Amino acid sequence: MADNHYRIRLAAIAELPELQNIERTAARLFATVGLAEVAESEPTPSTILRHHQAAGRVWVAADDRDRPVGFAIAAVLDGCGYLQELSVHPAHSRRGLGTRLVETVCHWAKHRGYPAVTLSTFGDLPWNAPFYQKLGFRILGEAELTPGLLAVRTAQAKAGFPVERRVFLKLDFLDGE
């Protein structure tokens, strides 16, 4: 259910530490489904957050006091937009904020002429792949993985993520869409 008491806007640099706190808190949900390594993983490093924020690729869902309660980070990977991170504080979940943040990243990518948005997520968790599939993303087959996506998989494996449970998804933009 969408909640209009929130707005999506670009993140301010002073908010980046709070985004790391949101990511840590949201990640705790993974412990409830046997993914302690994800729940205990470090949030996006501040250097990476600063880089994307300076490039205008970090958006927050802000509450009625203009405090971030969720965020999305976009990047460019293999000529497409790439949703690098999406986190919503659990106290603000199920209000359509994740959807609005994904739509913002898709709008950003399309406006810049990228043909699609890709991402990596868990294929078997309801708030992961099925969520994105409801938004029109499709799971990519192994033969469709680009060099950049394969590099993402390698980095995830080195970080201790169970890559056998992860999938890559893509939303292609059609002309006139």
Side-chain angles (χ1 to χ4, degrees), residues 147-171:
L149 295 176
L150 292 170
V152 167
R153 178 191 286 160
T154 299
Q156 291 172 347
K158 285 181 183 176
F161 280 53
V163 293
E164 68 280 359
R165 292 182 64 183
R166 295 188 64 82
V167 295
F168 288 94
L169 291 100
K170 183 176 187 181
L171 176 65

Side-chain angles (χ1 to χ4, degrees), residues 103-117 173 177:
E103 289 170 346
T104 298
V105 169
C106 290
H107 177 78
W108 163 84
K110 187 170 183 176
H111 183 70
R112 278 154 188 75
Y114 300 120
V117 170
F173 302 130
E177 191 177 280

Side-chain angles (χ1 to χ4, degrees), residues 106-165:
C106 290
H107 177 78
W108 163 84
K110 187 170 183 176
H111 183 70
R112 278 154 188 75
Y114 300 120
V117 170
T118 58
L119 62 95
S120 174
T121 193
F122 286 99
D124 58 344
L125 300 178
W127 69 88
N128 277 202
F131 162 76
Y132 293 107
Q133 289 174 299
K134 287 179 186 175
L135 298 178
F137 285 80
R138 67 179 178 83
I139 294 177
L140 295 175
E142 191 68 23
E144 296 177 279
L145 300 184
T146 63
L149 295 176
L150 292 170
V152 167
R153 178 191 286 160
T154 299
Q156 291 172 347
K158 285 181 183 176
F161 280 53
V163 293
E164 68 280 359
R165 292 182 64 183

Side-chain angles (χ1 to χ4, degrees), residues 14-82:
E15 296 171 325
L16 300 183
E18 181 56 26
L19 303 188
Q20 290 176 308
N21 291 333
I22 292 167
E23 187 174 351
R24 274 187 204 96
T25 303
R28 290 184 192 135
L29 289 174
F30 290 100
T32 67
V33 293
L35 290 166
E37 66 276 17
V38 176
E40 297 166 5
S41 64
E42 289 298 314
T44 304
S46 59
T47 54
I48 292 174
L49 279 171
R50 283 194 302 272
H51 168 76
H52 290 297
Q53 188 274 338
R57 297 191 307 252
V58 181
W59 296 268
V60 298
D63 67 11
D64 58 359
R65 294 183 182 168
D66 203 34
R67 295 178 305 205
V69 298
F71 70 99
I73 302 171
V76 179
L77 186 64
D78 295 325
C80 292
Y82 181 74

